[in-house]
mmCIF file with all atom_site columns, all heavy atoms in Angstrom:
data_model
loop_
_atom_site.group_PDB
_atom_site.id
_atom_site.type_symbol
_atom_site.label_atom_id
_atom_site.label_alt_id
_atom_site.label_comp_id
_atom_site.label_asym_id
_atom_site.label_entity_id
_atom_site.label_seq_id
_atom_site.pdbx_PDB_ins_code
_atom_site.Cartn_x
_atom_site.Cartn_y
_atom_site.Cartn_z
_atom_site.occupancy
_atom_site.B_iso_or_equiv
_atom_site.pdbx_formal_charge
_atom_site.auth_seq_id
_atom_site.auth_comp_id
_atom_site.auth_asym_id
_atom_site.auth_atom_id
_atom_site.pdbx_PDB_model_num
ATOM 1   N N   . LEU C 1 1  ? 12.499  -1.715 -0.519 1.00 91.00 ? 1  LEU C N   1
ATOM 2   C CA  . LEU C 1 1  ? 11.104  -2.100 -0.069 1.00 91.00 ? 1  LEU C CA  1
ATOM 3   C C   . LEU C 1 1  ? 10.239  -0.921 0.026  1.00 91.00 ? 1  LEU C C   1
ATOM 4   O O   . LEU C 1 1  ? 9.044   -1.024 -0.352 1.00 91.00 ? 1  LEU C O   1
ATOM 5   C CB  . LEU C 1 1  ? 11.405  -2.772 1.228  1.00 91.00 ? 1  LEU C CB  1
ATOM 6   C CG  . LEU C 1 1  ? 10.038  -3.071 2.119  1.00 91.00 ? 1  LEU C CG  1
ATOM 7   C CD1 . LEU C 1 1  ? 9.379   -4.227 1.372  1.00 91.00 ? 1  LEU C CD1 1
ATOM 8   C CD2 . LEU C 1 1  ? 10.537  -3.534 3.534  1.00 91.00 ? 1  LEU C CD2 1
ATOM 9   N N   . MET C 1 2  ? 10.654  0.178  0.603  1.00 93.00 ? 2  MET C N   1
ATOM 10  C CA  . MET C 1 2  ? 9.692   1.396  0.654  1.00 93.00 ? 2  MET C CA  1
ATOM 11  C C   . MET C 1 2  ? 9.435   1.888  -0.726 1.00 93.00 ? 2  MET C C   1
ATOM 12  O O   . MET C 1 2  ? 8.227   2.384  -0.900 1.00 93.00 ? 2  MET C O   1
ATOM 13  C CB  . MET C 1 2  ? 10.413  2.439  1.453  1.00 93.00 ? 2  MET C CB  1
ATOM 14  C CG  . MET C 1 2  ? 10.590  2.152  3.050  1.00 93.00 ? 2  MET C CG  1
ATOM 15  S SD  . MET C 1 2  ? 8.956   1.726  3.744  1.00 93.00 ? 2  MET C SD  1
ATOM 16  C CE  . MET C 1 2  ? 9.067   0.114  4.121  1.00 93.00 ? 2  MET C CE  1
ATOM 17  N N   . ASN C 1 3  ? 10.244  1.841  -1.653 1.00 94.00 ? 3  ASN C N   1
ATOM 18  C CA  . ASN C 1 3  ? 9.893   2.213  -2.999 1.00 94.00 ? 3  ASN C CA  1
ATOM 19  C C   . ASN C 1 3  ? 8.829   1.341  -3.681 1.00 94.00 ? 3  ASN C C   1
ATOM 20  O O   . ASN C 1 3  ? 7.901   1.855  -4.281 1.00 94.00 ? 3  ASN C O   1
ATOM 21  C CB  . ASN C 1 3  ? 11.168  2.349  -3.891 1.00 94.00 ? 3  ASN C CB  1
ATOM 22  C CG  . ASN C 1 3  ? 12.069  3.545  -3.623 1.00 94.00 ? 3  ASN C CG  1
ATOM 23  O OD1 . ASN C 1 3  ? 11.667  4.519  -3.188 1.00 94.00 ? 3  ASN C OD1 1
ATOM 24  N ND2 . ASN C 1 3  ? 13.259  3.337  -3.970 1.00 94.00 ? 3  ASN C ND2 1
ATOM 25  N N   . THR C 1 4  ? 8.923   0.155  -3.375 1.00 94.00 ? 4  THR C N   1
ATOM 26  C CA  . THR C 1 4  ? 7.982   -0.794 -3.824 1.00 94.00 ? 4  THR C CA  1
ATOM 27  C C   . THR C 1 4  ? 6.582   -0.574 -3.184 1.00 94.00 ? 4  THR C C   1
ATOM 28  O O   . THR C 1 4  ? 5.477   -0.608 -3.818 1.00 94.00 ? 4  THR C O   1
ATOM 29  C CB  . THR C 1 4  ? 8.485   -2.193 -3.671 1.00 94.00 ? 4  THR C CB  1
ATOM 30  O OG1 . THR C 1 4  ? 9.610   -2.278 -4.226 1.00 94.00 ? 4  THR C OG1 1
ATOM 31  C CG2 . THR C 1 4  ? 7.521   -3.173 -4.298 1.00 94.00 ? 4  THR C CG2 1
ATOM 32  N N   . VAL C 1 5  ? 6.605   -0.316 -1.791 1.00 94.00 ? 5  VAL C N   1
ATOM 33  C CA  . VAL C 1 5  ? 5.389   -0.015 -1.081 1.00 94.00 ? 5  VAL C CA  1
ATOM 34  C C   . VAL C 1 5  ? 4.728   1.207  -1.645 1.00 94.00 ? 5  VAL C C   1
ATOM 35  O O   . VAL C 1 5  ? 3.451   1.186  -1.946 1.00 94.00 ? 5  VAL C O   1
ATOM 36  C CB  . VAL C 1 5  ? 5.544   0.040  0.467  1.00 94.00 ? 5  VAL C CB  1
ATOM 37  C CG1 . VAL C 1 5  ? 4.376   0.583  1.111  1.00 94.00 ? 5  VAL C CG1 1
ATOM 38  C CG2 . VAL C 1 5  ? 5.974   -1.375 0.966  1.00 94.00 ? 5  VAL C CG2 1
ATOM 39  N N   . CYS C 1 6  ? 5.597   2.187  -1.917 1.00 95.00 ? 6  CYS C N   1
ATOM 40  C CA  . CYS C 1 6  ? 5.042   3.548  -2.469 1.00 95.00 ? 6  CYS C CA  1
ATOM 41  C C   . CYS C 1 6  ? 4.515   3.217  -3.859 1.00 95.00 ? 6  CYS C C   1
ATOM 42  O O   . CYS C 1 6  ? 3.429   3.901  -4.171 1.00 95.00 ? 6  CYS C O   1
ATOM 43  C CB  . CYS C 1 6  ? 6.243   4.496  -2.545 1.00 95.00 ? 6  CYS C CB  1
ATOM 44  S SG  . CYS C 1 6  ? 5.809   6.062  -3.194 1.00 95.00 ? 6  CYS C SG  1
ATOM 45  N N   . MET C 1 7  ? 5.039   2.339  -4.691 1.00 95.00 ? 7  MET C N   1
ATOM 46  C CA  . MET C 1 7  ? 4.533   2.158  -6.106 1.00 95.00 ? 7  MET C CA  1
ATOM 47  C C   . MET C 1 7  ? 3.175   1.462  -5.864 1.00 95.00 ? 7  MET C C   1
ATOM 48  O O   . MET C 1 7  ? 2.283   1.816  -6.533 1.00 95.00 ? 7  MET C O   1
ATOM 49  C CB  . MET C 1 7  ? 5.445   1.238  -6.728 1.00 95.00 ? 7  MET C CB  1
ATOM 50  C CG  . MET C 1 7  ? 5.101   0.812  -8.188 1.00 95.00 ? 7  MET C CG  1
ATOM 51  S SD  . MET C 1 7  ? 4.066   -0.698 -8.307 1.00 95.00 ? 7  MET C SD  1
ATOM 52  C CE  . MET C 1 7  ? 4.985   -1.873 -7.556 1.00 95.00 ? 7  MET C CE  1
ATOM 53  N N   . ILE C 1 8  ? 2.957   0.625  -4.852 1.00 95.00 ? 8  ILE C N   1
ATOM 54  C CA  . ILE C 1 8  ? 1.616   -0.158 -4.763 1.00 95.00 ? 8  ILE C CA  1
ATOM 55  C C   . ILE C 1 8  ? 0.718   0.891  -4.273 1.00 95.00 ? 8  ILE C C   1
ATOM 56  O O   . ILE C 1 8  ? -0.449  1.019  -4.875 1.00 95.00 ? 8  ILE C O   1
ATOM 57  C CB  . ILE C 1 8  ? 1.798   -1.194 -3.638 1.00 95.00 ? 8  ILE C CB  1
ATOM 58  C CG1 . ILE C 1 8  ? 2.669   -2.465 -4.143 1.00 95.00 ? 8  ILE C CG1 1
ATOM 59  C CG2 . ILE C 1 8  ? 0.379   -1.755 -3.141 1.00 95.00 ? 8  ILE C CG2 1
ATOM 60  C CD1 . ILE C 1 8  ? 3.074   -3.489 -3.182 1.00 95.00 ? 8  ILE C CD1 1
ATOM 61  N N   . TYR C 1 9  ? 1.069   1.738  -3.418 1.00 95.00 ? 9  TYR C N   1
ATOM 62  C CA  . TYR C 1 9  ? 0.218   2.804  -2.858 1.00 95.00 ? 9  TYR C CA  1
ATOM 63  C C   . TYR C 1 9  ? -0.313  3.789  -3.990 1.00 95.00 ? 9  TYR C C   1
ATOM 64  O O   . TYR C 1 9  ? -1.506  4.104  -4.138 1.00 95.00 ? 9  TYR C O   1
ATOM 65  C CB  . TYR C 1 9  ? 0.796   3.569  -1.678 1.00 95.00 ? 9  TYR C CB  1
ATOM 66  C CG  . TYR C 1 9  ? -0.222  4.681  -1.158 1.00 95.00 ? 9  TYR C CG  1
ATOM 67  C CD1 . TYR C 1 9  ? -1.168  4.301  -0.387 1.00 95.00 ? 9  TYR C CD1 1
ATOM 68  C CD2 . TYR C 1 9  ? 0.003   6.071  -1.498 1.00 95.00 ? 9  TYR C CD2 1
ATOM 69  C CE1 . TYR C 1 9  ? -2.163  5.277  0.134  1.00 95.00 ? 9  TYR C CE1 1
ATOM 70  C CE2 . TYR C 1 9  ? -0.983  7.025  -1.115 1.00 95.00 ? 9  TYR C CE2 1
ATOM 71  C CZ  . TYR C 1 9  ? -1.884  6.536  -0.215 1.00 95.00 ? 9  TYR C CZ  1
ATOM 72  O OH  . TYR C 1 9  ? -2.851  7.490  0.317  1.00 95.00 ? 9  TYR C OH  1
ATOM 73  N N   . CYS C 1 10 ? 0.694   4.107  -4.821 1.00 96.00 ? 10 CYS C N   1
ATOM 74  C CA  . CYS C 1 10 ? 0.356   5.104  -5.938 1.00 96.00 ? 10 CYS C CA  1
ATOM 75  C C   . CYS C 1 10 ? -0.474  4.440  -7.112 1.00 96.00 ? 10 CYS C C   1
ATOM 76  O O   . CYS C 1 10 ? -1.223  5.211  -7.796 1.00 96.00 ? 10 CYS C O   1
ATOM 77  C CB  . CYS C 1 10 ? 1.565   5.751  -6.329 1.00 96.00 ? 10 CYS C CB  1
ATOM 78  S SG  . CYS C 1 10 ? 2.446   6.736  -5.231 1.00 96.00 ? 10 CYS C SG  1
ATOM 79  N N   . THR C 1 11 ? -0.239  3.104  -7.395 1.00 95.00 ? 11 THR C N   1
ATOM 80  C CA  . THR C 1 11 ? -0.805  2.551  -8.528 1.00 95.00 ? 11 THR C CA  1
ATOM 81  C C   . THR C 1 11 ? -1.931  1.544  -8.435 1.00 95.00 ? 11 THR C C   1
ATOM 82  O O   . THR C 1 11 ? -2.737  1.306  -9.386 1.00 95.00 ? 11 THR C O   1
ATOM 83  C CB  . THR C 1 11 ? 0.177   1.971  -9.416 1.00 95.00 ? 11 THR C CB  1
ATOM 84  O OG1 . THR C 1 11 ? 0.887   0.902  -8.682 1.00 95.00 ? 11 THR C OG1 1
ATOM 85  C CG2 . THR C 1 11 ? 1.352   2.917  -9.798 1.00 95.00 ? 11 THR C CG2 1
ATOM 86  N N   . SER C 1 12 ? -1.923  0.890  -7.253 1.00 95.00 ? 12 SER C N   1
ATOM 87  C CA  . SER C 1 12 ? -3.107  -0.050 -7.026 1.00 95.00 ? 12 SER C CA  1
ATOM 88  C C   . SER C 1 12 ? -4.398  0.556  -6.926 1.00 95.00 ? 12 SER C C   1
ATOM 89  O O   . SER C 1 12 ? -4.690  1.459  -6.155 1.00 95.00 ? 12 SER C O   1
ATOM 90  C CB  . SER C 1 12 ? -2.730  -0.880 -5.821 1.00 95.00 ? 12 SER C CB  1
ATOM 91  O OG  . SER C 1 12 ? -3.852  -1.712 -5.504 1.00 95.00 ? 12 SER C OG  1
ATOM 92  N N   . PRO C 1 13 ? -5.326  0.067  -7.611 1.00 94.00 ? 13 PRO C N   1
ATOM 93  C CA  . PRO C 1 13 ? -6.738  0.560  -7.612 1.00 94.00 ? 13 PRO C CA  1
ATOM 94  C C   . PRO C 1 13 ? -7.419  0.158  -6.254 1.00 94.00 ? 13 PRO C C   1
ATOM 95  O O   . PRO C 1 13 ? -8.388  0.742  -5.918 1.00 94.00 ? 13 PRO C O   1
ATOM 96  C CB  . PRO C 1 13 ? -7.361  0.085  -8.776 1.00 94.00 ? 13 PRO C CB  1
ATOM 97  C CG  . PRO C 1 13 ? -6.681  -1.070 -9.288 1.00 94.00 ? 13 PRO C CG  1
ATOM 98  C CD  . PRO C 1 13 ? -5.242  -0.896 -8.792 1.00 94.00 ? 13 PRO C CD  1
ATOM 99  N N   . TYR C 1 14 ? -6.983  -0.874 -5.699 1.00 94.00 ? 14 TYR C N   1
ATOM 100 C CA  . TYR C 1 14 ? -7.674  -1.454 -4.559 1.00 94.00 ? 14 TYR C CA  1
ATOM 101 C C   . TYR C 1 14 ? -6.893  -1.382 -3.265 1.00 94.00 ? 14 TYR C C   1
ATOM 102 O O   . TYR C 1 14 ? -7.394  -1.107 -2.186 1.00 94.00 ? 14 TYR C O   1
ATOM 103 C CB  . TYR C 1 14 ? -8.053  -2.958 -4.772 1.00 94.00 ? 14 TYR C CB  1
ATOM 104 C CG  . TYR C 1 14 ? -8.910  -3.239 -5.924 1.00 94.00 ? 14 TYR C CG  1
ATOM 105 C CD1 . TYR C 1 14 ? -8.367  -3.660 -7.168 1.00 94.00 ? 14 TYR C CD1 1
ATOM 106 C CD2 . TYR C 1 14 ? -10.283 -2.834 -5.672 1.00 94.00 ? 14 TYR C CD2 1
ATOM 107 C CE1 . TYR C 1 14 ? -9.334  -3.915 -8.190 1.00 94.00 ? 14 TYR C CE1 1
ATOM 108 C CE2 . TYR C 1 14 ? -11.170 -3.088 -6.963 1.00 94.00 ? 14 TYR C CE2 1
ATOM 109 C CZ  . TYR C 1 14 ? -10.652 -3.664 -8.027 1.00 94.00 ? 14 TYR C CZ  1
ATOM 110 O OH  . TYR C 1 14 ? -11.576 -3.839 -9.046 1.00 94.00 ? 14 TYR C OH  1
ATOM 111 N N   . TYR C 1 15 ? -5.507  -1.588 -3.328 1.00 94.00 ? 15 TYR C N   1
ATOM 112 C CA  . TYR C 1 15 ? -4.787  -1.794 -2.119 1.00 94.00 ? 15 TYR C CA  1
ATOM 113 C C   . TYR C 1 15 ? -4.288  -0.443 -1.552 1.00 94.00 ? 15 TYR C C   1
ATOM 114 O O   . TYR C 1 15 ? -3.810  -0.403 -0.392 1.00 94.00 ? 15 TYR C O   1
ATOM 115 C CB  . TYR C 1 15 ? -3.473  -2.578 -2.335 1.00 94.00 ? 15 TYR C CB  1
ATOM 116 C CG  . TYR C 1 15 ? -2.994  -3.281 -1.272 1.00 94.00 ? 15 TYR C CG  1
ATOM 117 C CD1 . TYR C 1 15 ? -3.645  -4.497 -0.700 1.00 94.00 ? 15 TYR C CD1 1
ATOM 118 C CD2 . TYR C 1 15 ? -1.884  -2.787 -0.584 1.00 94.00 ? 15 TYR C CD2 1
ATOM 119 C CE1 . TYR C 1 15 ? -3.222  -5.078 0.442  1.00 94.00 ? 15 TYR C CE1 1
ATOM 120 C CE2 . TYR C 1 15 ? -1.435  -3.422 0.631  1.00 94.00 ? 15 TYR C CE2 1
ATOM 121 C CZ  . TYR C 1 15 ? -2.019  -4.469 1.138  1.00 94.00 ? 15 TYR C CZ  1
ATOM 122 O OH  . TYR C 1 15 ? -1.613  -5.153 2.187  1.00 94.00 ? 15 TYR C OH  1
ATOM 123 N N   . ASN C 1 16 ? -4.611  0.638  -2.144 1.00 92.00 ? 16 ASN C N   1
ATOM 124 C CA  . ASN C 1 16 ? -4.121  1.872  -1.711 1.00 92.00 ? 16 ASN C CA  1
ATOM 125 C C   . ASN C 1 16 ? -4.963  2.675  -0.657 1.00 92.00 ? 16 ASN C C   1
ATOM 126 O O   . ASN C 1 16 ? -5.106  3.759  -0.628 1.00 92.00 ? 16 ASN C O   1
ATOM 127 C CB  . ASN C 1 16 ? -3.915  2.930  -2.999 1.00 92.00 ? 16 ASN C CB  1
ATOM 128 C CG  . ASN C 1 16 ? -5.182  3.176  -3.542 1.00 92.00 ? 16 ASN C CG  1
ATOM 129 O OD1 . ASN C 1 16 ? -6.140  2.659  -3.237 1.00 92.00 ? 16 ASN C OD1 1
ATOM 130 N ND2 . ASN C 1 16 ? -5.092  4.090  -4.674 1.00 92.00 ? 16 ASN C ND2 1
ATOM 131 N N   . THR C 1 17 ? -5.565  1.848  0.159  1.00 93.00 ? 17 THR C N   1
ATOM 132 C CA  . THR C 1 17 ? -6.415  2.403  1.272  1.00 93.00 ? 17 THR C CA  1
ATOM 133 C C   . THR C 1 17 ? -5.447  2.504  2.565  1.00 93.00 ? 17 THR C C   1
ATOM 134 O O   . THR C 1 17 ? -4.613  1.711  2.658  1.00 93.00 ? 17 THR C O   1
ATOM 135 C CB  . THR C 1 17 ? -7.708  1.555  1.618  1.00 93.00 ? 17 THR C CB  1
ATOM 136 O OG1 . THR C 1 17 ? -7.158  0.346  2.100  1.00 93.00 ? 17 THR C OG1 1
ATOM 137 C CG2 . THR C 1 17 ? -8.456  1.331  0.466  1.00 93.00 ? 17 THR C CG2 1
ATOM 138 N N   . SER C 1 18 ? -5.922  3.334  3.491  1.00 92.00 ? 18 SER C N   1
ATOM 139 C CA  . SER C 1 18 ? -5.228  3.493  4.799  1.00 92.00 ? 18 SER C CA  1
ATOM 140 C C   . SER C 1 18 ? -5.151  2.108  5.530  1.00 92.00 ? 18 SER C C   1
ATOM 141 O O   . SER C 1 18 ? -4.211  1.697  6.106  1.00 92.00 ? 18 SER C O   1
ATOM 142 C CB  . SER C 1 18 ? -5.964  4.535  5.587  1.00 92.00 ? 18 SER C CB  1
ATOM 143 O OG  . SER C 1 18 ? -5.275  4.553  6.842  1.00 92.00 ? 18 SER C OG  1
ATOM 144 N N   . GLU C 1 19 ? -6.429  1.481  5.470  1.00 90.00 ? 19 GLU C N   1
ATOM 145 C CA  . GLU C 1 19 ? -6.432  0.177  6.163  1.00 90.00 ? 19 GLU C CA  1
ATOM 146 C C   . GLU C 1 19 ? -5.413  -0.821 5.617  1.00 90.00 ? 19 GLU C C   1
ATOM 147 O O   . GLU C 1 19 ? -4.734  -1.463 6.386  1.00 90.00 ? 19 GLU C O   1
ATOM 148 C CB  . GLU C 1 19 ? -7.898  -0.362 6.067  1.00 90.00 ? 19 GLU C CB  1
ATOM 149 C CG  . GLU C 1 19 ? -8.134  -1.686 6.679  1.00 90.00 ? 19 GLU C CG  1
ATOM 150 C CD  . GLU C 1 19 ? -9.417  -2.304 6.293  1.00 90.00 ? 19 GLU C CD  1
ATOM 151 O OE1 . GLU C 1 19 ? -10.517 -1.332 6.033  1.00 90.00 ? 19 GLU C OE1 1
ATOM 152 O OE2 . GLU C 1 19 ? -9.752  -3.443 6.303  1.00 90.00 ? 19 GLU C OE2 1
ATOM 153 N N   . HIS C 1 20 ? -5.342  -1.003 4.406  1.00 93.00 ? 20 HIS C N   1
ATOM 154 C CA  . HIS C 1 20 ? -4.499  -2.021 3.702  1.00 93.00 ? 20 HIS C CA  1
ATOM 155 C C   . HIS C 1 20 ? -2.872  -1.627 4.040  1.00 93.00 ? 20 HIS C C   1
ATOM 156 O O   . HIS C 1 20 ? -2.191  -2.374 4.248  1.00 93.00 ? 20 HIS C O   1
ATOM 157 C CB  . HIS C 1 20 ? -4.705  -2.183 2.261  1.00 93.00 ? 20 HIS C CB  1
ATOM 158 C CG  . HIS C 1 20 ? -5.954  -2.821 1.905  1.00 93.00 ? 20 HIS C CG  1
ATOM 159 N ND1 . HIS C 1 20 ? -6.425  -3.857 2.558  1.00 93.00 ? 20 HIS C ND1 1
ATOM 160 C CD2 . HIS C 1 20 ? -6.963  -2.632 0.940  1.00 93.00 ? 20 HIS C CD2 1
ATOM 161 C CE1 . HIS C 1 20 ? -7.646  -4.253 2.012  1.00 93.00 ? 20 HIS C CE1 1
ATOM 162 N NE2 . HIS C 1 20 ? -7.925  -3.479 0.965  1.00 93.00 ? 20 HIS C NE2 1
ATOM 163 N N   . MET C 1 21 ? -2.694  -0.337 3.782  1.00 94.00 ? 21 MET C N   1
ATOM 164 C CA  . MET C 1 21 ? -1.329  0.115  4.018  1.00 94.00 ? 21 MET C CA  1
ATOM 165 C C   . MET C 1 21 ? -0.873  -0.011 5.320  1.00 94.00 ? 21 MET C C   1
ATOM 166 O O   . MET C 1 21 ? 0.214   -0.453 5.674  1.00 94.00 ? 21 MET C O   1
ATOM 167 C CB  . MET C 1 21 ? -1.128  1.485  3.414  1.00 94.00 ? 21 MET C CB  1
ATOM 168 C CG  . MET C 1 21 ? -1.401  1.632  1.825  1.00 94.00 ? 21 MET C CG  1
ATOM 169 S SD  . MET C 1 21 ? -0.475  0.426  0.919  1.00 94.00 ? 21 MET C SD  1
ATOM 170 C CE  . MET C 1 21 ? 1.138   1.032  1.004  1.00 94.00 ? 21 MET C CE  1
ATOM 171 N N   . THR C 1 22 ? -1.692  0.322  6.325  1.00 92.00 ? 22 THR C N   1
ATOM 172 C CA  . THR C 1 22 ? -1.442  0.268  7.776  1.00 92.00 ? 22 THR C CA  1
ATOM 173 C C   . THR C 1 22 ? -1.104  -1.287 8.021  1.00 92.00 ? 22 THR C C   1
ATOM 174 O O   . THR C 1 22 ? -0.213  -1.589 8.821  1.00 92.00 ? 22 THR C O   1
ATOM 175 C CB  . THR C 1 22 ? -2.529  0.676  8.634  1.00 92.00 ? 22 THR C CB  1
ATOM 176 O OG1 . THR C 1 22 ? -2.651  2.171  8.293  1.00 92.00 ? 22 THR C OG1 1
ATOM 177 C CG2 . THR C 1 22 ? -2.210  0.540  10.098 1.00 92.00 ? 22 THR C CG2 1
ATOM 178 N N   . SER C 1 23 ? -1.980  -2.150 7.595  1.00 90.00 ? 23 SER C N   1
ATOM 179 C CA  . SER C 1 23 ? -1.779  -3.532 7.865  1.00 90.00 ? 23 SER C CA  1
ATOM 180 C C   . SER C 1 23 ? -0.402  -4.077 7.333  1.00 90.00 ? 23 SER C C   1
ATOM 181 O O   . SER C 1 23 ? 0.303   -4.850 7.946  1.00 90.00 ? 23 SER C O   1
ATOM 182 C CB  . SER C 1 23 ? -2.906  -4.334 7.236  1.00 90.00 ? 23 SER C CB  1
ATOM 183 O OG  . SER C 1 23 ? -2.669  -5.716 7.365  1.00 90.00 ? 23 SER C OG  1
ATOM 184 N N   . LEU C 1 24 ? -0.076  -3.560 6.179  1.00 93.00 ? 24 LEU C N   1
ATOM 185 C CA  . LEU C 1 24 ? 1.125   -4.029 5.464  1.00 93.00 ? 24 LEU C CA  1
ATOM 186 C C   . LEU C 1 24 ? 2.341   -3.502 6.295  1.00 93.00 ? 24 LEU C C   1
ATOM 187 O O   . LEU C 1 24 ? 3.263   -4.216 6.549  1.00 93.00 ? 24 LEU C O   1
ATOM 188 C CB  . LEU C 1 24 ? 1.186   -3.564 4.029  1.00 93.00 ? 24 LEU C CB  1
ATOM 189 C CG  . LEU C 1 24 ? 2.462   -3.934 3.206  1.00 93.00 ? 24 LEU C CG  1
ATOM 190 C CD1 . LEU C 1 24 ? 2.669   -5.418 3.159  1.00 93.00 ? 24 LEU C CD1 1
ATOM 191 C CD2 . LEU C 1 24 ? 2.362   -3.259 1.835  1.00 93.00 ? 24 LEU C CD2 1
ATOM 192 N N   . PHE C 1 25 ? 2.350   -2.172 6.612  1.00 94.00 ? 25 PHE C N   1
ATOM 193 C CA  . PHE C 1 25 ? 3.425   -1.665 7.378  1.00 94.00 ? 25 PHE C CA  1
ATOM 194 C C   . PHE C 1 25 ? 3.569   -2.277 8.727  1.00 94.00 ? 25 PHE C C   1
ATOM 195 O O   . PHE C 1 25 ? 4.660   -2.479 9.208  1.00 94.00 ? 25 PHE C O   1
ATOM 196 C CB  . PHE C 1 25 ? 3.262   -0.095 7.505  1.00 94.00 ? 25 PHE C CB  1
ATOM 197 C CG  . PHE C 1 25 ? 3.805   0.714  6.355  1.00 94.00 ? 25 PHE C CG  1
ATOM 198 C CD1 . PHE C 1 25 ? 2.836   1.508  5.724  1.00 94.00 ? 25 PHE C CD1 1
ATOM 199 C CD2 . PHE C 1 25 ? 5.090   0.623  5.937  1.00 94.00 ? 25 PHE C CD2 1
ATOM 200 C CE1 . PHE C 1 25 ? 3.348   2.296  4.650  1.00 94.00 ? 25 PHE C CE1 1
ATOM 201 C CE2 . PHE C 1 25 ? 5.550   1.322  4.828  1.00 94.00 ? 25 PHE C CE2 1
ATOM 202 C CZ  . PHE C 1 25 ? 4.582   2.225  4.165  1.00 94.00 ? 25 PHE C CZ  1
ATOM 203 N N   . LEU C 1 26 ? 2.506   -2.498 9.355  1.00 92.00 ? 26 LEU C N   1
ATOM 204 C CA  . LEU C 1 26 ? 2.546   -3.316 10.588 1.00 92.00 ? 26 LEU C CA  1
ATOM 205 C C   . LEU C 1 26 ? 3.278   -4.743 10.554 1.00 92.00 ? 26 LEU C C   1
ATOM 206 O O   . LEU C 1 26 ? 4.121   -4.908 11.262 1.00 92.00 ? 26 LEU C O   1
ATOM 207 C CB  . LEU C 1 26 ? 1.134   -3.552 11.231 1.00 92.00 ? 26 LEU C CB  1
ATOM 208 C CG  . LEU C 1 26 ? 1.064   -4.212 12.553 1.00 92.00 ? 26 LEU C CG  1
ATOM 209 C CD1 . LEU C 1 26 ? 1.702   -3.462 13.725 1.00 92.00 ? 26 LEU C CD1 1
ATOM 210 C CD2 . LEU C 1 26 ? -0.403  -4.504 12.803 1.00 92.00 ? 26 LEU C CD2 1
#
């Protein structure tokens, strides 16, 4: 799960913001 989240953070042109990632981790 964390590897996939990391992949999203590293490759997504839109979703890799602090706001989106915080919401997802929450």
Side-chain angles (χ1 to χ4, degrees):
L1 173 64
M2 290 300 114
N3 284 336
T4 306
V5 170
C6 181
M7 180 272 304
I8 291 171
Y9 181 75
C10 293
T11 60
S12 172
Y14 298 104
Y15 205 79
N16 63 354
T17 65
S18 175
E19 177 185 334
H20 291 320
M21 296 309 290
T22 300
S23 176
L24 180 61
F25 276 121
L26 180 67

